[in-house]
Amino acid sequence: MTDPEVESLQDLLDQIAACRVCGDALPLGPRPVLQLSSTARILVASQAPGTWVHESGVPFADASGDRLRAWMGVTKDEFYDAGRIAIVPLGLCYPGRGAGGDAPPRPECAPLWRNRIMAQLRGLRLTLLVGGHAQVDRLGRAPMTERVRAFRAYLPDVVPLPHPSWRSQMWMARNPWFEADVLPVLRAAVRDALA
Ligand code: SF4
């Protein structure tokens, strides 16, 4: 049954698609990229699209996505099943380049859309906080590595993860506990949430 206080998913998606609020600050212009349904069990709360995702319109349609899917232990079909997995970055459009990589998510975005998006996720069981920006937004400031190392403190609802960019391979080499300790628990949590 539809909750009358929750707006229609399609209305919300249409409004997001038409958003131009920070368009003047976006080097490639507005193109919100997300995956959302009211039945999703898992939320991949990420940071912001990169250029390839901006081009394709598909979240994590790049090597970072391949790494994230491997960490989660899901296939592409499972990952892109919107009925089971939602993918929502903190900033919905590509923000441009900053010092040493992509710029942070646009600050205008989450205050506009986040609560309305979260209201749609009525079957949510597990949230993956992917990257430092997503973690700071949800949990407050802390060093990313120490937060991920303390992942058990956030279970069973939340798992903090590094961003799966190419840099994560060097980070994993320096932090072998991530593969040994975090990934098995992450995969089990993902399977539980999808079951
Ligand atoms: S980043 Fe967010 S606020 Fe800015 S144009 Fe895109 S959807 Fe709108």
Side-chain angles (χ1 to χ4, degrees):
M1 183 184 294
T2 303
D3 181 342
E5 294 192 356
V6 176
E7 66 189 317
S8 135
L9 173 65
Q10 194 55 55
D11 281 354
L12 176 59
L13 291 174
D14 289 345
Q15 287 182 51
I16 290 172
C19 183
R20 300 289 180 271
V21 164
C22 67
D24 290 346
L26 301 173
L28 302 183
R31 185 173 194 188
V33 179
L34 72 163
Q35 172 171 301
L36 183 65
S37 79
S38 58
T39 58
R41 305 280 189 87
I42 295 175
L43 168 62
V44 176
S46 52
Q47 305 201 134
T51 49
W52 180 247
V53 172
H54 176 90
E55 286 293 320
S56 66
V58 179
F60 285 103
D62 52 13
S64 294
D66 291 336
R67 259 176 237 116
L68 180 59
R69 287 182 282 275
W71 291 355
M72 294 170 66
V74 296
T75 65
K76 268 192 173 179
D77 284 348
E78 288 173 316
F79 190 76
Y80 291 118
D81 180 351
R84 303 172 84 200
I85 296 182
I87 306 167
V88 181
L90 191 55
L92 297 172
C93 300
Y94 170 64
R97 299 285 293 171
D102 285 351
R106 289 300 310 175
E108 300 89 339
C109 202
L112 266 178
W113 300 115
R114 190 230 326 266
N115 288 350
R116 294 169 67 184
I117 289 171
M118 293 305 295
Q120 297 288 337
L121 292 167
R122 299 190 285 282
L124 192 59
R125 292 182 175 183
L126 178 66
T127 299
L128 308 184
L129 298 176
V130 180
H133 291 298
Q135 290 164 25
V136 168
D137 175 70
R138 174 80 172 257
L139 303 173
R141 290 210 168 272
M144 188 278 291
T145 297
E146 294 318 308
R147 178 119 63 196
V148 175
R149 194 195 296 268
F151 69 100
R152 291 185 195 281
Y154 305 101
L155 295 172
D157 304 327
V158 170
V159 181
L161 296 170
H163 192 279
S165 71
W166 60 271
R167 287 192 189 88
S168 66
Q169 294 172 294
M170 292 180 287
W171 182 89
M172 285 176 71
R174 289 195 305 274
N175 297 283
W177 48 266
F178 178 70
E179 194 160 10
D181 300 338
V182 180
L183 292 188
V185 173
L186 169 66
R187 289 173 189 143
V190 165
R191 283 292 142 208
D192 274 358
L194 293 178

